[in-house]
Each structure stands twice: as structure tokens, then as C-alpha cells.
Amino acid sequence: MRVLLDMARSGGIDALNIRSVALALCVSPRLIYNHVRDKEDMLALLTDEILRDRMPDLSATDWRTRLRNIAAAVQSAYRDYPGSAAFILSRSANRLGQPNALRVRTAIFGALEEAGLDRHRQEEILVLFSVIVLGSVVVAESLPSDERDMAIARARAEMAFGRGTDMLIQAIELESIACPG
């Protein structure tokens, strides 16, 4: 897994494939297939491992604090691995995820239930949460460090992440008042 993490950090997730990983490990690609079904499976394992290394603090008693902790940890986890947030965001609706992702998802649902939202609203908020958290990473990584010709500065994109998280929490509070569970 360390080789995958190093390759993803230096070349981005898009550069990973079974052949390049096998080459880096000095093994046959067939050997890799003994551990994963395909590239998609390999990348799912990789992104879950990235999250494991930066698992958020889920012990806060207040649901707002737990959501902020989760948002900050998830953003931090994927920021260093170009393409990882886009990979997850583009597949988040069609799979339940790996163990660490499932743990975070369960914690988000728990916080939203504690906030008073029904399951239907929880699922909607999970989509918004994913877009704000992972989308902010995608936007930030698309901005080059030379900001002279950019429509927005990287620092502004980073600030927008915190504001987006706060706005989402405010929306949850309003939703729980308007439609009590």
C-alpha cells in the first residue's frame, strides 16, 4: 500500500494503473490481480487507506463539531493526493465504500439523525456534504500555484470550504426546525 500512496502523491491518481504499480513493485501484473479485481478496485482501496491515515475525530458529543471534524479531516486527507477527491466524488453514489469510508458515512448519518433529520433528508445532505468537501479539494487542486491569470485565488477557494461547511450546518439547523423528525 505504501507504494500506491507514494505513487498517488507524486503522480496523482490518474497516473495509477495495474501495470505501473506492478512495475514499481517489480512483480508481474498478474500478481496484482490476485489482490484486486481491476484498477477501480485498486483505487477504492487506495482512497480508503488515505482516509484511514487521517481518520476524523468522531468522539465529539455535538453533531455540529463532528460534522466539522469530518469535513476538515476528509478535505485534509485527499488534498495531498491529486485526483483522489474527484475519483471519490464521481463514484460516491454508486457504492457503499470501503471500511473507513463507511465509518465516516455512518458518522455523518448519525450526526444528521441527531440533528433531527429523517433518512430522506440525511441522504440529500450527504450529497451536499460530499460536494462541498470533496468539490473544494477538486477546485483547489485545479488552481495552479501561479495565480496571476486565475479567476480566483487558491486562498479564496480554501476559505470557501470553511464557509461552505458553515452554510451547510446552518441549513441543517434550519431544516431540523422546519421539518422536525
Side-chain angles (χ1 to χ4, degrees):
M1 191 56 74
R2 183 57 39 205
V3 169
L4 268 177
L5 289 166
D6 292 343
M7 290 175 73
R9 181 178 279 125
S10 64
I13 237 173
D14 290 337
L16 293 176
N17 59 55
I18 299 293
R19 187 171 299 286
S20 67
V21 171
L23 185 62
L25 292 170
C26 300
V27 299
S28 164
R30 283 188 219 131
L31 186 60
I32 304 295
Y33 286 111
N34 289 335
H35 301 279
V36 295
R37 286 186 317 271
D38 53 21
K39 178 181 176 178
E40 184 91 6
D41 192 32
M42 179 180 70
L43 295 180
L45 290 171
L46 171 66
T47 55
D48 200 58
E49 183 67 16
I50 292 168
L51 184 57
R52 186 193 65 76
D53 284 347
R54 302 215 182 124
M55 184 57 68
D57 177 10
L58 303 174
S59 65
T61 56
D62 176 64
W63 66 266
R64 294 165 192 84
T65 303
R66 279 198 312 276
L67 286 180
R68 281 189 178 95
N69 289 349
I70 292 167
V74 168
Q75 187 200 43
S76 171
Y78 298 116
R79 181 183 294 142
D80 297 335
Y81 298 89
S84 59
F87 171 80
I88 295 165
L89 192 55
S90 68
R91 288 151 180 87
S92 62
N94 65 359
R95 63 170 65 208
L96 286 177
Q98 299 294 324
N100 297 305
L102 188 55
R103 186 171 166 215
V104 168
R105 181 184 172 109
T106 301
I108 292 169
F109 279 132
L112 297 175
E113 182 176 8
E114 186 180 319
L117 302 184
D118 63 27
R119 187 61 179 201
H120 175 74
R121 297 284 190 253
Q122 291 172 27
E123 291 173 356
E124 290 174 356
I125 295 295
L126 178 63
V127 171
L128 295 172
F129 184 87
S130 298
V131 168
I132 289 169
V133 175
L134 296 171
S136 70
V137 176
V138 172
V139 169
E141 75 184 25
S142 72
L143 299 172
S145 52
D146 181 7
E147 299 176 345
R148 288 179 288 194
D149 295 328
M150 298 309 303
I152 60 171
R154 183 182 295 262
R156 287 281 182 228
E158 294 291 333
M159 288 173 56
F161 164 71
R163 185 161 166 78
T165 303
D166 290 342
M167 290 172 72
L168 182 62
I169 288 172
Q170 289 171 351
I172 294 166
E173 291 170 336
L174 290 172
E175 184 77 20
S176 66
I177 293 167
C179 303

